[in-house]
Amino acid sequence: MGAEPRECVPEQPVRRRRVDVREWGPLILLTLAVLAGAGLWFAGRRGAADLVWAAVTLVALVPAVWTTLRQVWRRQFGVDVIAVLALAGALLVGEYLAGAVIAVMVATGRALEEYAQRRATRDLRALLERAPRQARRRTPDGRIEVVPLDRVAVGDRLVVGPGDVVPVDGTAEEPATLDESVVTGESQLVTRAAGEQVASGVVNAGAGFGLRAGKSAAESTYAGIVRLAEEATARKAPMVRLADRYAAAFVPFTLVLAGLAWLLSGEFLRAVAVLVVATPCPLLLATPIAIVSGLSRVARRGVLVRDGGSLELLGRARTLLLDKTGTLTAGRPRAAETVVAPGGDRDELLRLAASVEQLSPHVLAAALVRQARDQGLPLAEPTEVTEEPGRGVTGRVDGRLVRVGQLAGEPPEWAHRIRERAELAGRSTVWVSDEHGPLGAILLEDPVRPDARRTVRRLREAGLDRLVMVTGDRPRTAHQVAQTVGVDDVIAQCSPGEKVARVKAESARAVTVMVGDGVNDAPALAEAHVGVAMGATGATASADVADAVLTVDRLDRLADAVEIARYARRIAVQSATVGMALAVVAMVVAAAGGLPPVAGAFLQEGIDVLVILNALRALGGGLRRRDVPPHTRELLDRYAGQHGGVRDVLARLRDTADLVATHPTAPECVPALREVHRRLVDEVLPHEAAEERQLYPALAGPLGSEEATSTMSRAHVEISRLVDRIGGHLAAHPDGRLRPDEVPDLLAALYGLDAVLRLHLAQEEEDYFSLSPAEDRPVSPAEDRPDTR
């Protein structure tokens, strides 16, 4: 059987960061001291006021000197050197108030910067905790003993229980059903026969099985994943502050201007005045404020970014790499199609399969049972239920023996066609059989997220010009998803190590973002400039090594985050540039002797207020996303809920088309045609007409114009035309027989309508219904009902 992967790491909520009072303590104390000095000055005790202000200046100078020396030791050169020179100069010339004002500005910048840049601990705890530490080993006398993992040797016979993580690489001694998504990213469960290789780190999704150890724990696959993540995290360089990037030009200019002012005038006071005015508070204040504003906004959108440096990089990103399973696709199994033997009943087939699967713990069982219940099928209580690992479930339903799983024996001709159909569509097949043979099959898929294509377009609009999908899945399935969502490149059958190499290659060319949801993605997330984890559905290990976590299961929030990050960074750069330009003008005036240090300090405060107000603009704006009015959202919800019924008619349409194609002279052929035509006229056409009258006009605002729905209106015309064409054939034959010469045209109408209607539904869901995601509204059973062709 095949299915989408399950993450077996217990999900942990993302920890909220607590604001440490100690970060703001120095700023509060310095501000109070400056105010106390002002009180003394106004009370006539100017000597005491100067003493307090000098103490404030000295308190700020000591840590600033220490920070600057550490930067110099690390061969870093930032804006802090100007603050140190300004503080020292103010003390030397006795401009204590100017020094105290600078001290408050520097402390404010430090507190804001620490708040903006504080990182959550990025450890690998969850990844390491998930790694097995013990193994069950068979002894020569047939007993099973639990031994530490490091005592497992090559050739040992192990037992892997249900739900266990395979401890070491080895060879299966009996059939095993495995969830390999941790290692390969493969979106379906796989069955390994006796004698096949099994990788460590994968999860036993079936019954227990025997394993012959082929490698030691240290040499096995999962240990390699852990090492990759650790090495990538250790190599990741610290973020460079935006302020320090500007310092490369601003600091030398300031020092040269201050030196010239002193040299040409012979007055050291002028040099100090230049340094005071040049104290880069637009950089130390405006930049963190804009970045913190961006962090707050993306958090409200459901994206937790670790620190300001990560948000800066997100705002500069040009390349995006996305994992497929759980990122571009839903990451959970869905029954996409139910196919029956000639003359069979689809609902009865699903009812039998779901009845047997009610007692199975298999990941597919829940999907089949959920679908049957959503369709309102009455499930019977099964008896004599047995489950064979890797083969399926057998039981009796209403006295009838039913088997769900693999197909035994030589399949009939119609079953061969189902297999080919599933392979071409990239789906896995679950067969349903009874005592006499196969009754039909249920085809499973990992559906593309309805919002994936729209989100990819929005990411391009936000400035990401290269989008690459990397996945461990099969090439055919990977390319189908890539074509659907519209990425630039696709890398299939990609191992964790290959993902890391690909991220390195892309990162060497541009700032790169990597999005993933599984443990196998953790090394690549740590290697990227910005790693983004789908935290709502993914493994905690991925979230721990990522720079950002999507706390909601919606990829479109990443597009929001990119747009907000670019806007916040633009505001930060704008604020810093304007602030420094004003500071340069003031520096020139100070160098000419027109601005003493105290006046320069207060002028600098005015500049700070200006740039801070501008930086606060980052709290709003920058999003291209159009809000959907409540009335339009209600319409979207209503028509999205009706798509389940339309797909049910589609399933009957496809069955009828197949019947006409294979048995055009069968007596049940025309009655089936009449029934499907009746449902098309009574159910599908009214749905399309109502959309045309109500939904499409309401979408003109959110989509920008009435022309946005014009192509969909044209599809409505074609659907109506094909339904009339089928009705015309039926009206011409009241005797209930089809002439051989009209079968080709009838088939063209039937299959053409099937294709047009399926494409039309998919386009509506991707382009329109994704405007009102399911996470924002109550989900009705009809809406959640999958395609049951």
Side-chain angles (χ1 to χ4, degrees):
M1 286 189 218
E4 286 72 15
R6 296 170 298 172
E7 291 297 343
C8 295
V9 181
E11 186 174 333
Q12 297 178 357
V14 179
R15 294 181 296 274
R16 293 187 178 182
R17 286 171 271 176
R18 296 171 53 190
V19 177
D20 193 344
V21 178
R22 290 174 297 180
E23 293 179 359
W24 303 94
L27 172 62
I28 295 172
L29 292 176
L30 289 177
T31 303
L32 292 175
V34 172
L35 293 176
L40 292 171
W41 191 86
F42 283 112
R45 302 178 62 183
R46 299 190 176 184
D50 286 340
L51 186 61
V52 171
W53 288 332
V56 169
T57 304
L58 187 61
V59 167
L61 177 61
V62 173
V65 170
W66 175 247
T67 300
T68 302
L69 290 175
R70 285 193 304 171
Q71 288 179 338
V72 172
W73 179 259
R74 297 171 184 170
R75 298 182 179 180
Q76 297 174 351
F77 188 68
V79 294
D80 304 275
V81 66
I82 299 178
V84 169
L85 294 175
L87 290 167
L91 285 176
L92 290 175
V93 299
E95 294 286 350
Y96 303 121
L97 176 57
V101 172
I102 295 171
V104 171
M105 290 189 295
V106 171
T108 304
R110 283 276 175 252
L112 285 171
E113 187 181 37
E114 288 177 11
Y115 175 70
Q117 299 288 340
R118 187 179 66 240
R119 301 186 73 98
T121 303
R122 203 173 63 177
D123 58 11
L124 298 176
R125 184 184 62 258
L127 186 61
L128 296 173
E129 286 179 355
R130 187 186 180 282
R133 292 174 174 77
Q134 297 176 325
R136 298 186 182 95
R137 183 171 62 185
R138 296 184 189 272
T139 62
D141 58 1
R143 292 184 298 105
I144 297 178
E145 61 178 357
V146 178
V147 297
L149 200 59
D150 56 8
R151 288 180 53 189
V152 175
V154 175
D156 283 352
R157 297 183 63 201
L158 308 177
V159 176
V160 183
D164 284 355
V165 177
V166 175
V168 297
D169 293 355
T171 304
E173 295 186 321
E174 50 199 297
T177 301
L178 304 171
D179 175 2
E180 295 188 345
S181 59
V182 168
V183 175
T184 67
E186 172 65 46
S187 62
Q188 299 170 354
L189 295 183
V190 298
T191 300
R192 297 296 178 193
E196 289 193 275
Q197 296 297 311
V198 177
S200 64
V202 305
V203 179
N204 179 14
F209 67 94
L211 179 77
R212 177 79 67 172
K215 292 182 180 179
S216 66
E219 298 173 342
S220 292
T221 303
Y222 192 76
I225 293 177
V226 173
R227 283 195 299 271
L228 280 171
E230 288 175 333
E231 291 168 3
T233 303
R235 286 195 304 269
K236 195 165 185 179
M239 302 297 178
V240 178
R241 292 185 303 168
L242 183 64
D244 288 342
R245 289 199 291 271
Y246 281 99
F250 188 70
V251 171
F253 171 77
T254 299
L255 296 178
V256 169
L257 183 61
L260 288 175
W262 185 11
L263 180 65
L264 296 178
S265 67
E267 298 179 13
F268 182 61
L269 188 65
R270 291 194 184 187
V272 174
V274 171
L275 293 174
V276 168
V277 176
T279 302
C281 290
L283 295 177
L284 295 177
L285 293 177
T287 300
I289 286 173
I291 297 301
V292 168
S293 299
L295 289 172
S296 175
R297 289 188 66 199
V298 297
R300 291 197 299 270
R301 302 299 303 164
V303 185
L304 298 182
V305 180
R306 297 286 193 188
D307 53 49
S310 298
L311 190 77
E312 287 183 35
L313 284 174
L314 190 63
R316 295 167 50 209
R318 292 295 176 187
T319 301
L320 176 66
L321 286 85
L322 303 100
D323 182 46
K324 179 183 76 68
T325 305
T327 302
L328 293 172
T329 63
R332 56 182 178 270
R334 188 182 82 168
E337 187 175 357
T338 302
V339 187
V340 295
D345 184 291
R346 175 185 292 99
D347 288 344
E348 178 64 11
L349 180 79
L350 180 59
R351 187 187 76 86
L352 292 173
S355 295
V356 172
E357 291 279 21
Q358 287 180 99
L359 302 182
S360 173
H362 198 281
V363 66
L364 292 182
L368 297 180
V369 172
R370 181 174 62 248
Q371 179 181 347
R373 287 176 175 165
D374 286 347
Q375 293 184 215
L377 301 178
L379 302 185
E381 183 177 350
T383 59
E384 303 178 22
V385 177
T386 60
E387 184 164 358
E388 301 176 59
R391 295 188 178 276
V393 180
T394 303
R396 289 193 177 273
V397 179
D398 299 330
R400 183 179 183 182
L401 185 66
V402 178
R403 179 187 180 88
V404 182
Q406 292 186 356
L407 188 60
E410 182 63 24
E413 180 62 29
W414 62 267
H416 281 294
R417 291 195 298 270
I418 292 177
R419 278 182 171 173
E420 294 172 358
R421 191 160 153 184
E423 180 64 27
L424 290 173
R427 295 167 175 166
S428 56
T429 308
V430 177
W431 294 95
V432 183
S433 310
D434 64 3
E435 303 97 325
H436 307 293
L439 302 173
I442 300 172
L443 306 188
L444 298 156
E445 68 176 356
D446 182 11
V448 175
R449 291 172 179 264
D451 63 335
R453 188 173 183 86
R454 173 180 292 276
T455 300
V456 166
R457 290 199 301 266
R458 287 194 55 218
L459 288 166
R460 292 190 189 281
E461 292 172 357
L464 291 163
D465 48 28
R466 176 166 169 76
L467 281 76
V468 182
M469 188 181 83
V470 291
T471 177
D473 217 335
R474 295 168 296 180
R476 181 186 293 275
T477 303
H479 281 89
Q480 287 176 351
V481 173
Q483 290 175 349
T484 300
V485 301
V487 297
D488 299 308
D489 196 5
V490 55
I491 311 298
Q493 293 182 328
C494 194
S495 68
E498 291 169 339
K499 283 185 181 181
V500 171
R502 186 71 186 199
V503 170
K504 284 183 182 179
E506 297 291 347
S507 298
R509 292 191 287 266
V511 176
T512 299
V513 179
M514 170 71 192
V515 184
D517 79 321
V519 177
N520 64 306
D521 297 322
L525 294 179
E527 187 66 44
H529 288 109
V530 181
V532 180
M534 300 288 287
T537 56
T540 306
S542 296
D544 280 348
V545 302
D547 300 293
V549 179
L550 288 170
T551 61
V552 292
D553 190 21
R554 287 179 52 178
L555 187 59
D556 65 323
R557 295 300 173 86
L558 176 61
D560 291 346
V562 172
E563 290 180 346
I564 291 171
R566 290 197 186 284
Y567 183 71
R569 185 176 184 277
R570 185 164 65 249
I571 293 297
V573 172
Q574 182 187 86
S575 299
T577 303
V578 171
M580 286 192 300
L582 294 175
V584 168
V585 174
M587 288 161 59
V588 173
V589 175
L595 196 63
V598 173
F602 283 102
L603 176 62
Q604 184 62 50
E605 282 285 10
I607 295 174
D608 293 344
V609 171
L610 178 64
V611 297
I612 287 173
L613 290 176
N614 186 68
L616 289 174
R617 291 171 50 221
L619 287 171
L623 275 177
R624 300 170 184 262
R625 185 173 180 267
R626 295 185 177 92
D627 290 329
V628 180
H631 173 67
T632 305
R633 189 179 291 271
E634 291 174 4
L635 291 174
L636 288 168
D637 296 346
R638 181 197 309 170
Y639 290 108
Q642 294 176 7
H643 269 203
V646 175
R647 280 202 166 87
D648 187 60
V649 178
L650 262 176
R652 306 299 176 181
L653 175 66
R654 179 60 180 265
D655 282 351
T656 304
D658 291 345
L659 179 61
V660 173
T662 55
H663 301 88
T665 60
E668 67 269 20
C669 190
V670 172
L673 273 170
R674 293 191 186 281
E675 174 61 18
V676 77
H677 181 261
R678 182 194 65 79
R679 294 192 65 182
L680 287 167
V681 172
D682 293 347
E683 300 177 35
V684 176
L685 292 186
H687 167 81
E688 307 296 338
E691 284 185 333
E692 194 69 42
R693 290 193 313 270
Q694 297 180 346
L695 179 61
Y696 288 6
L699 287 171
L703 295 177
S705 73
E706 294 181 358
E707 292 300 315
T709 60
S710 61
T711 55
M712 308 300 283
S713 296
R714 178 64 181 85
H716 284 167
V717 174
E718 182 64 16
I719 291 168
S720 180
R721 186 185 72 83
L722 289 170
V723 172
D724 290 343
R725 186 169 160 188
I726 296 170
H729 280 285
L730 290 172
H733 298 285
D735 58 351
R737 292 181 179 275
L738 297 176
R739 294 195 313 270
D741 62 317
E742 67 180 341
V743 170
D745 185 70
L746 181 58
L747 285 175
L750 290 169
Y751 284 122
L753 179 59
D754 177 81
V756 171
L757 196 47
R758 288 186 193 282
L759 178 61
H760 180 68
L761 294 180
Q763 288 176 324
E764 283 188 332
E765 289 167 358
E766 292 175 3
D767 293 338
Y768 302 160
F769 298 159
S770 62
L771 293 172
S772 178
E775 291 81 356
D776 289 349
R777 63 178 187 260
V779 180
S780 65
E783 177 187 344
D784 195 45
R785 182 165 61 194
D787 186 351
T788 56
R789 286 174 282 169

